[in-house]
C-alpha cells in the first residue's frame, strides 16, 4: 500500500518582517508513518485567494516551503511526526485561498487537513483528507482550497481558474486502464461480474446500457477486456485487493487490515471447520443443537497444510500473507445471535416471524394489501380466498379489514415467478410467495396465510399451494416449512435489492457525479462528502468477491447465477423520488400524506419500529439539509443558475442512472425545495437506509434457520415418498431442506463481517473532522442537527421501554436499535453492536 501518513497544518500567528517587507507564516505539518524508517520529502506553495497574478490568470503563488526535521510522538497508539515549515510572502500577497503540495519522495502519504493564519485575519482552514502520491508517478502536484464555501458565480477571481482546472482534471475520458495514483472519475457498465476466460459457466450479462439489463453505473477501472468476450472486463487470475478506485475513495490501510482480519476470523471460525471435517456422513446439519454449537467452538484454526496451498492458488501473495498472519491470532468468541440468545425457539414463533417484517433486518418490503384476493401483474388471481382468512380477522369481514388498512402482504411473487424455471435446477427448490397478515388491535401482526407458487407453461396459470397457521401435528410442521420458503425469498431480496441495489449500487453514480461536477469548494460537495466515505472501494471489493460469478452470494443464495440479473430486473421499477422514507411509506400503503406532521406523513401502523424511528431520522436529516442549503441559496433562481449543480444533476440522470434518463419522475431541480428533497433522500439512503438493512444482520440472519438463504426441497405432497419421509421425522426433513453445512457457515461468516462496525466509524451527526468547515453558521446548524439526533436516541430508548409497543422487542426480546443513530458514541466502539448509523455505506 506504500507509506501511510496522516498530516495536518497548524500554523502559528503570522509574523511581519519589516526589514524585508515580507510576511513570515510558520506552520506545522503532522505525519503518521505507515512504514518504519520512511521519511517525508514534500514542498508546499500558497495561492492567494484575493490577489490575481495577471501573467498566470490565477492567484499569486508563494515560494516553496519544505517539510524538514520532524519530531515523532505517540497519539492514540499511532506515531505522529511533526514538521515545522515557513512561508515567506510579499506584503501584497493577500489572503491565501489555496495551496499546492508536491510529494518529492517515493512513498505516498495521506494529507488530512491544514490551517493557516495571516496577520490581522481569521484562521484559514483546509479540509484535505487525500492521498498524495509521488510526483514521479503523477507528474503533477496536488491542489487544495480553503474551507470557505463558494457557489460557482461567487468564486473569487483569483481562484476561478484554479477551480475550473482542478475540476476538469478529475474527469475521465473513458479510455486507458487507470493506475493506482490517478485521481480520475469515470463511468462504466457492470461488465466485470462475469469471467468468460474461466469458462462458459462464468459468463454473466452486462448490466447497464441496454433495455434488457438496465442498471446504475459503476466507477470505471479500464482493465483490459476478456479474451473470450470483448464486451466483458477481464479479471485477475488471483483475487487481490488492488482493483482501481480513485485514491481519495480508498479505505485507509488500518481499516482494510481490520476488514481482512474480521473476515479471516469469521472464515476460520465458521466454514473452515466444516470443510475440514471428514467424519460427517451428511452435508446437512443433523439437529438444531448442532447448528447452535457452531457459535461455541473456540479452537484456534490456522491457515496451513492443504488449506494454505489451496488459498495460494486463489489469492495474491500479499493478501495470502495478511490472511496467514490474521489466522495465527487468538480466536475470538462469537456471540450467539440475538434471535436465540434469550429463547432458542423464539424464531419459530408466528408473532416473531411477522414482527421481523416490521423490525427485522429487512423491514422495507411489507406493504398494505390493495386488492383481495391479490392479483398478479399479468392478471392471474391468487388462490387465497375469504374462507382461508375470514375466521382470523378478529370479528371483521374481509371488506371491513381492507377498508381499515389492516390486511398487509409480504409479496415475493410477481418479480420472482418468471425466474423460477431457470433457478429451480441443480438442487434448488423454491417458490414465489405471498404472505398475508392482519393488524391486531394491539398493533402486532397475525399471520393469515402463505401462498407458494410455481410457474407452468401457460402465462396465465400457476401452480399455487395455500398454507394456513397451525400449532400442532402435521399441519404445524408443514406451516414451518412454508414459513422457511417465505424467509428464503425474503433473504435473497434483502441481500440483492434492499441492501445491494437500493443502497450500494444506487449511490455510486451520485459519488462519481459529485466528484466530477461539483468543486470541492462547492457547499453541496462539502455537505455530501462525509456520506460517500469508503463506498466506492467497498463496492469494488463487492464486485470482486461477493456479487461476481462464483462469488459468495451466488454460492449461498437460491438465485445462484441469476442473482444480479434479478437485481437488474427489479431496477426497472426503481425511482429516485420513491427512495425517501415518507414517499416509500406512502407507496407501500403504510402512511398517508399529512402536511401538519414534521415528516409530512401520518404513519398508519402505530407500532412500526422501522417506520417510526426512520421518520424521526428523516426529519432530522431534512431539517439539517434545509438549514444548510438556506445559507447558500437565497431563492429558487440561485438553484437554477448554479451551473455546477445543474451539471451534477444532469449527469446523474443522463449518465450515472442513464437507463432512467427518460423518466419523468426526476426532480427538475429548479427550486430550493427540489434540492432539499433530493439531498435529503440521498443522505437518507447512504446513512439510515443502509444502516437499517445492514447492521441488524447478525442478530437475525446470523442464525440460519431464522433467515435461510435457499431450499433444497419443495414442500412434500401428500401420498408421496417425500411426504412419508417428512412424516417420519419433520425436523430432519426441515434441516435437509435448508442449505448445506458449508453454505450455512459461509453465510454466517459473511453476515458476521457485514454486521461489524470498524474502529474508524463516523456516525451520523458526528463531525467528520474538526477542519470540515470554518463557517460558524454551518457549525451552529450542524450542532443543532447533532442535538436533534440525540433527542431521537432518547426517544428510541423510551419506545423500547414502552410495554405497549410490543413490536419493539417481540418474543425474541430484541430491542429495535437498527436506527439508533449512536451519535453520542464518542468512544468509537467497534464490533457487532446492532446499532449505529454511520455517515456512509462503509461496509
Amino acid at each position: 500500500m506504500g507509506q501511510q501518513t496522516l498530516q495536518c497544518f497548524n500554523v502559528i500567528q503570522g509574523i511581519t518582517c519589516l526589514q524585508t517587507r515580507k510576511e513570515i507564516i510558520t506552520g506545522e505539518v503532522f505525519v503518521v508513518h505507515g512504514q518504519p524508517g520512511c521519511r517525508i520529502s514534500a514542498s508546499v506553495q500558497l495561492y492567494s485567494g484575493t490577489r490575481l497574478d495577471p501573467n498566470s490568470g490565477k492567484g499569486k503563488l508563494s515560494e516553496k516551503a519544505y517539510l524538514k526535521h520532524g519530531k515523532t510522538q505517540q497519539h492514540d497508539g499511532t506515531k505522529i511526526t511533526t514538521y515545522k515549515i515557513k512561508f515567506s510572502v510579499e506584503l501584497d500577497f493577500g489572503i491565501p485561498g489555496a495551496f499546492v503540495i508536491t510529494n518529492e519522495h517515493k512513498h505516498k502519504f495521506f494529507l488530512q487537513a491544514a490551517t493557516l493564519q495571516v496577520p490581522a485575519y481569521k484562521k484559514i482552514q483546509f479540509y484535505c483528507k487525500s492521498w498524495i502520491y509521488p510526483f514521479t508517478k503523477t507528474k503533477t502536484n496536488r491542489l487544495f482550497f480553503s474551507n470557505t464555501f463558494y457557489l460557482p458565480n461567487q468564486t473569487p477571481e483569483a481562484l476561478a481558474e484554479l477551480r475550473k482546472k482542478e475540476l476538469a482534471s478529475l474527469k475521465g475520458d473513458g479510455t486507458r486502464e487507470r493506475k493506482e495514483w490517478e485521481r480520475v472519475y469515470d463511468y462504466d457498465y457492470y461488465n466485470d461480474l462475469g469471467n468468460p476466460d474461466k469458462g462458459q459457466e462464468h459468463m454473466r450479462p452486462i448490466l447497464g446500457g441496454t433495455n434488457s439489463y438496465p442498471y446504475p453505473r459503476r466507477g470505471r477501472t479500464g482493465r483490459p477486456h476478456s479474451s473470450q468476450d470483448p464486451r466483458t472486463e477481464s479479471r485477475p487470475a488471483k483475487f487481490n485487493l488492488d482493483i482501481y478506485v480513485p485514491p481519495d475513495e480508498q479505505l485507509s490501510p488500518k481499516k482494510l487490515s481490520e476488514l481482512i482480519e474480521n473476515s479471516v476470523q469469521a472464515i476460520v471460525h465458521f466454514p473452515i471447520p466444516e470443510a475440514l471435517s471428514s467424519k460427517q456422513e451428511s452435508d446437512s446439519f443433523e439437529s438444531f443443537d448442532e447448528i447452535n454449537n457452531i457459535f461455541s467452538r473456540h479452537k484456534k484454526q490456522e491457515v496451513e497444510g492443504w488449506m494454505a496451498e489451496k488459498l495460494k492458488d486463489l489469492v495474491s501473495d500479499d493478501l495470502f500473507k495478511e490472511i496467514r498472519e490474521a489466522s495465527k491470532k487468538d480466536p475470538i468468541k462469537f456471540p450467539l445471535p440475538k434471535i436465540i440468545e434469550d429463547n432458542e425457539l423464539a424464531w419459530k414463533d408466528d408473532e416473531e416471524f411477522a414482527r421481523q417484517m416490521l423490525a427485522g433486518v429487512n423491514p422495507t418490503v411489507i406493504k398494505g394489501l390493495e386488492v383481495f384476493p391479490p392479483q398478479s401483474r399479468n392478471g392471474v388471481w391468487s388462490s387465497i380466498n375469504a374462507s382461508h382468512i375470514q375466521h382470523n380477522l378478529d370479528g371483521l369481514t374481509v371488506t371491513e379489514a381492507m377498508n381499515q388498512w389492516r390486511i398487509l402482504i409480504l409479496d415475493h411473487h410477481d418479480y420472482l415467478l418468471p425466474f423460477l424455471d431457470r433457478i429451480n435446477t441443480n438442487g434448488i427448490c423454491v417458490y414465489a410467495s405471498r404472505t398475508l397478515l392482519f393488524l391486531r388491535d394491539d398493533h402486532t401482526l397475525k399471520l393469515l396465510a402463505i401462498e407458494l407458487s410455481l410457474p407452468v407453461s401457460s402465462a396465465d396459470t400457476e401452480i399455487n399451494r395455500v398454507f394456513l397457521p397451525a400449532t400442532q401435528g402435521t399441519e404445524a410442521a408443514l406451516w414451518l416449512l412454508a414459513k422457511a420458503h417465505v424467509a428464503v425469498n425474503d433473504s435473497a431480496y434483502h441481500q440483492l435489492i434492499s441492501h445491494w441495489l437500493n443502497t450500494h449500487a444506487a449511490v455510486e453514480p451520485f459519488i462519481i457525479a459529485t466528484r466530477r461536477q461539483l468543486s470541492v469548494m462547492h457547499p453541496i460537495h462539502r455537505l455530501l462528502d462525509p456520506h460517500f466515505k469508503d463506498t466506492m472501494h467497498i463496492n469494488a471489493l463487492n464486485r470482486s468477491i461477493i456479487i461476481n460469478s462464483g462469488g459468495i452470494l451466488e454460492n449461498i443464495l437460491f438465485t445462484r447465477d441469476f442473482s444480479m440479473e434479478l437485481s437488474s430486473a427489479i431496477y426497472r421499477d426503481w425511482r429516485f423520488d420513491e427512495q425517501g422514507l415518507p414517499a416509500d411509506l406512502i407507496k407501500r400503503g403504510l402512511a398517508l400524506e399529512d402536511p401538519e406532521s414534521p415528516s409530512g406523513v401520518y404513519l398508519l401502523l402505530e407500532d412500526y419500529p422501522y417506520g417510526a424511528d426512520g421518520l424521526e431520522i428523516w426529519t432530522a436529516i431534512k431539517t439539517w439539509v434545509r438549514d444548510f442549503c438556506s445559507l447558500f441559496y437565497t431563492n429558487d433562481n440561485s438553484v437554477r443558475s448554479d451551473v455546477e449543480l445543474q451539471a451534477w444533476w444532469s449527469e446523474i440522470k443522463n449518465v450515472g442512472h442513464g437507463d432512467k434518463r427518460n423518466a419523468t419522475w426526476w426532480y427538475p431541480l429548479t427550486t430550493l425545495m427540489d434540492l432539499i428533497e433530493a439531498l435529503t433522500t440521498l443522505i437518507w439512503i447512504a446513512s439510515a437506509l443502509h444502516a437499517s438493512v445492514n447492521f441488524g444482520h447478525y442478530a437475525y440472519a446470523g442464525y440460519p434457520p431464522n433467515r435461510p438463504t435457499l431450499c433444497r426441497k419443495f414442500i412434500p405432497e401428500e401420498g408421496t415418498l417425500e411426504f412419508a419421509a417428512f412424516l417420519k421425522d419433520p425436523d430432519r426433513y426441515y434441516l435437509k431442506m435448508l442449505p448445506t453445512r458449508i453454505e450455512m457457515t459461509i453465510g454466517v461468516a459473511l453476515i458476521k463481517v457485514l454486521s461489524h462496525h470498524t474502529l474508524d466509524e463516523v456516525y451520523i451527526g458526528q463531525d467528520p473532522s474538526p477542519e470540515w468547515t470554518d463557517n460558524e453558521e454551518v457549525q451552529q446548524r450542524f450542532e443543532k442537527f447533532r442535538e436533534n439526533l440525540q433527542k431521537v436516541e432518547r426517544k428510541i430508548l423510551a419506545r423500547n421501554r414502552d410495554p405497549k409497543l410490543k413490536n419493539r422487542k417481540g418474543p425474541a426480546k430484541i430491542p429495535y436499535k437498527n436506527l439508533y443513530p449512536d451519535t453520542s458514541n464518542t468512544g468509537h466502539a467497534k464490533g457487532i453492536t446492532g446499532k449505529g448509523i454511520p455517515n456512509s455505506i462503509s461496509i
Side-chain angles (χ1 to χ4, degrees), residues 186-289:
D186 212 344
Y187 299 93
D188 211 339
Y189 306 126
Y190 277 73
N191 63 349
D192 62 342
L193 301 178
N195 191 358
D197 292 347
K198 199 173 176 180
Q200 186 76 17
E201 69 276 15
H202 286 279
M203 293 192 72
R204 297 292 181 272
I206 294 170
L207 305 185
T210 64
N211 291 330
S212 300
Y213 301 110
Y215 218 63
R217 304 300 187 261
R218 64 169 178 92
R220 182 180 178 277
T221 66
R223 287 185 300 196
H225 289 149
S226 158
S227 61
Q228 296 297 313
D229 182 0
R231 301 170 304 158
T232 300
E233 190 173 275
S234 63
R235 301 179 65 86
K238 292 184 178 182
F239 172 69
N240 61 61
L241 301 175
D242 294 335
I243 183 171
Y244 173 81
V245 291
D248 295 349
E249 312 301 332
Q250 293 173 7
L251 302 178
S252 70
K254 184 178 289 187
K255 176 166 182 173
L256 188 58
S257 179
E258 185 179 347
L259 183 60
I260 292 170
E261 184 175 325
N262 293 340
S263 302
V264 172
Q265 287 174 342
I267 291 167
V268 300
H269 185 94
F270 292 112
I272 284 183
E274 297 302 326
L276 293 177
S277 176
S278 59
K279 298 178 181 179
Q280 306 295 343
E281 296 180 0
S282 170
D283 62 357
S284 303
F285 284 103
E286 295 298 310
S287 68
F288 293 109
D289 285 342

Side-chain angles (χ1 to χ4, degrees), residues 537-567:
H537 199 170
I538 288 292
N539 284 1
L541 294 175
N542 281 336
R543 297 197 312 272
S544 297
I545 194 170
I546 294 181
I547 65 172
N548 58 302
S549 67
I552 293 175
L553 291 189
E554 286 196 358
N555 277 283
I556 66 172
L557 296 181
F558 74 86
T559 44
R560 296 298 202 210
D561 298 0
F562 307 102
S563 295
M564 294 304 291
E565 185 180 339
L566 177 65
S567 175

Side-chain angles (χ1 to χ4, degrees), residues 100-161:
V100 289
I101 184 166
T102 305
N103 181 357
E104 300 173 4
H105 196 48
K106 62 182 179 180
H107 296 291
K108 68 179 181 179
F109 58 81
F110 192 79
L111 183 64
Q112 178 74 8
T115 57
L116 299 172
Q117 191 162 347
V118 297
Y121 193 74
K122 67 178 183 178
K123 183 181 292 185
I124 304 169
Q125 298 190 6
F126 297 78
Y127 179 72
C128 306
K129 285 202 169 186
S130 191
W131 289 103
I132 311 300
Y133 279 82
F135 184 84
T136 54
K137 292 182 180 291
T138 64
K139 309 304 180 187
T140 185
N141 48 33
R142 279 297 309 277
L143 174 70
F144 295 96
F145 295 101
S146 75
N147 285 4
T148 304
F149 305 149
Y150 297 107
L151 294 178
N153 61 4
Q154 298 169 346
T155 309
E157 186 181 8
L159 300 177
E161 184 61 27

Side-chain angles (χ1 to χ4, degrees), residues 653-674:
K653 293 187 299 182
N654 294 302
V655 185
H657 281 278
D659 297 330
K660 302 284 184 178
R661 65 170 59 87
N662 296 321
T664 58
W665 42 256
W666 287 102
Y667 299 116
L669 214 68
T670 55
T671 67
L672 181 56
M673 286 309 301
D674 282 348

Side-chain angles (χ1 to χ4, degrees), residues 353-589:
F353 183 82
R355 185 194 74 90
Q356 290 180 33
M357 301 178 198
L358 301 175
V361 73
N362 192 30
T364 62
V365 181
I366 190 170
K367 60 185 180 181
L369 183 64
E370 297 179 357
V371 177
F372 184 85
Q375 188 178 27
S376 302
R377 287 181 178 179
N378 62 3
V380 177
W381 292 96
S382 165
S383 295
I384 301 174
N385 57 50
S387 66
H388 288 124
I389 67 172
Q390 182 70 64
H391 63 286
N392 242 341
L393 301 179
D394 293 0
L396 298 179
T397 65
V398 172
T399 301
E400 289 170 338
M402 289 287 292
N403 290 340
Q404 295 177 29
W405 299 296
R406 293 178 69 172
I407 299 183
L408 293 86
I409 183 171
L410 185 72
D411 194 346
H412 293 296
H413 181 275
D414 283 8
Y415 74 86
L416 190 52
L417 199 68
F419 283 84
L420 289 186
D421 280 337
R422 290 187 291 163
I423 287 173
N424 283 334
T425 59
N426 298 322
I428 299 296
C429 303
V430 294
Y431 304 91
S433 66
R434 291 186 177 109
T435 305
L436 296 192
L437 308 98
F438 176 71
L439 181 65
R440 295 186 178 106
D441 290 338
D442 66 356
H443 307 290
T444 60
L445 295 180
K446 180 197 297 186
L447 288 169
L448 294 175
I450 292 173
E451 179 184 56
L452 303 179
S453 304
L454 291 172
V456 293
S457 56
S458 174
D460 58 353
T461 58
E462 309 169 357
I463 299 172
N464 296 328
R465 297 181 68 184
V466 177
F467 297 87
L468 302 179
T471 57
Q472 293 181 338
T474 301
E475 296 303 316
L478 288 170
W479 177 243
L480 187 64
L481 298 184
K483 288 196 297 180
H485 275 277
V486 171
V488 164
N489 283 182
D490 201 60
S491 293
Y493 189 95
H494 166 242
Q495 294 293 2
L496 296 172
I497 312 305
S498 303
H499 187 195
W500 168 256
L501 173 63
N502 289 347
T503 64
H504 287 260
V507 165
E508 184 158 352
F510 287 88
I511 300 174
I512 300 170
T514 299
R515 306 305 192 210
R516 285 167 52 93
Q517 299 296 346
L518 296 180
S519 166
V520 292
M521 305 173 77
H522 200 292
I524 302 305
H525 188 290
R526 289 296 173 91
L527 172 70
L528 292 176
D529 185 65
H531 303 288
F532 295 157
K533 177 178 178 285
D534 296 341
T535 302
M536 285 187 70
H537 199 170
I538 288 292
N539 284 1
L541 294 175
N542 281 336
R543 297 197 312 272
S544 297
I545 194 170
I546 294 181
I547 65 172
N548 58 302
S549 67
I552 293 175
L553 291 189
E554 286 196 358
N555 277 283
I556 66 172
L557 296 181
F558 74 86
T559 44
R560 296 298 202 210
D561 298 0
F562 307 102
S563 295
M564 294 304 291
E565 185 180 339
L566 177 65
S567 175
S568 169
I570 292 176
Y571 178 67
R572 291 180 185 279
D573 296 325
W574 182 90
R575 293 177 51 153
F576 180 72
D577 65 329
E578 293 177 345
Q579 301 308 301
L581 182 58
D584 170 58
L585 292 171
I586 290 171
K587 177 188 176 184
R588 291 191 283 129

Side-chain angles (χ1 to χ4, degrees), residues 164-182:
K164 292 178 183 177
K165 183 179 178 182
E166 169 69 4
L167 203 53
S169 71
L170 300 175
K171 298 176 183 178
D173 59 4
T175 64
R176 293 196 306 106
E177 181 175 4
R178 292 300 162 199
K179 304 301 182 184
E180 177 192 349
W181 53 85
E182 293 182 318

